[in-house]
Amino acid sequence: MTTLSKTDMQHLIAKRVAAELEGPCVVNLGIGIPTLVAEYMDAEDIYMHTENGLLGVTDVEEADIDPNLVNAGKLPVGEAIGSSFFNSSDSFAMIRGGHVDVAILGALQVDQTGVIANWAVPGKNIMGVGGAMDLLVGAKKVFVTMSHTSKDGSSKLLKECTYPITSTRSVDMIFTELAVFEVVNKQLKLVELMPGVTIEEVRAKTEAEFIH
């Protein structure tokens, strides 16, 4: 049984996702765990994109924060040498035109065909979909980062999403603190267990059907 703090769990997932990235590529990081992925990437040919208008996103030291320079999650960012600024419509043209190689998104739920729900919880305030729908349609690959279970211990990998889905497109890979899945022909395939995790634990905490 794995027992990680929330912070350790998020960094474990982010580090594993970063290991999956190979340049040259353009990567869009969603809100939440995806923003941590940048801490584990040092390849010069992986270019960070944020849909509010910057290609070449980097970390920024607190002393150098510019309140006008933020990512889509309103977190302060830095600009790499050679970075580009553009307006939101151009940024979404890049996404919809297939110029983002990998989108890394958070999710509330994912079903056993790889379809995700990540923008609304019924009965609660709408979080806002942001660029998620566009990224699911336009990015060449989509990786999802999420905790394997909700606060009450129920599985977030379901036979069918109960929240409003974000797109009918299946994602390519799913990363949790327990396991890594690939989506192959609309079926979840377990490809890796996280350190200290057993297949029995994954089965016990996963409602969705999967192969391995």
Side-chain angles (χ1 to χ4, degrees):
M1 185 72 66
T2 55
T3 53
L4 293 171
S5 69
K6 182 177 179 180
T7 298
D8 287 345
M9 177 268 289
Q10 291 176 333
H11 279 273
L12 175 71
I13 296 170
K15 185 176 182 179
R16 178 58 186 82
V17 176
E20 200 70 31
L21 299 172
E22 292 185 8
C25 64
V26 173
V27 179
N28 181 285
L29 300 179
I31 297 169
I33 296 173
T35 61
L36 301 175
V37 175
E39 296 184 24
Y40 297 97
M41 291 189 300
D42 53 12
E44 294 183 357
D45 57 353
I46 297 179
Y47 307 98
M48 296 291 100
H49 171 271
T50 177
E51 62 258 32
N52 58 320
L54 174 61
L55 180 63
V57 177
T58 63
D59 289 332
V60 62
E61 298 294 333
E62 190 168 351
D64 298 323
I65 288 176
D66 179 345
N68 294 310
L69 190 57
V70 296
N71 63 17
K74 300 181 178 63
L75 296 174
V77 295
E79 52 196 312
I81 295 174
S83 59
S84 305
F85 290 90
F86 31 84
N87 64 35
S88 186
S89 59
D90 287 335
S91 184
F92 276 84
M94 293 168 64
I95 295 169
R96 296 170 186 174
H99 303 293
V100 172
D101 296 293
V102 182
I104 305 174
L105 301 174
L108 299 168
Q109 297 177 338
V110 58
D111 78 8
Q112 60 193 22
T113 69
V115 168
I116 72 166
N118 79 340
W119 68 280
V121 177
K124 294 189 177 182
N125 291 334
I126 299 294
M127 293 182 292
V129 72
M133 289 179 177
D134 299 86
L135 288 161
L136 274 160
V137 172
K140 294 174 185 174
K141 286 186 176 181
V142 179
F143 295 167
V144 165
T145 63
M146 60 189 291
S147 58
H148 205 93
T149 58
S150 57
K151 290 180 180 178
D152 65 4
S154 59
S155 178
K156 292 167 69 172
L157 283 78
L158 307 171
K159 293 184 183 297
E160 185 175 350
C161 292
T162 59
Y163 297 165
I165 65 170
T166 310
S167 168
T168 55
R169 174 189 173 169
S170 297
V171 301
D172 296 276
M173 296 186 74
I174 302 155
F175 301 80
T176 79
E177 77 278 18
L178 300 183
V180 179
F181 297 88
E182 287 182 355
V183 181
V184 181
N185 297 324
K186 290 190 174 293
Q187 187 172 25
L188 300 188
K189 180 180 181 181
L190 176 65
V191 295
E192 185 178 326
L193 295 171
M194 287 299 201
V197 178
T198 65
I199 184 68
E200 289 76 20
E201 183 178 2
V202 174
R203 284 201 184 101
K205 294 182 177 180
T206 308
E207 179 193 301
E209 294 182 6
F210 62 89
I211 60 174
H212 64 93

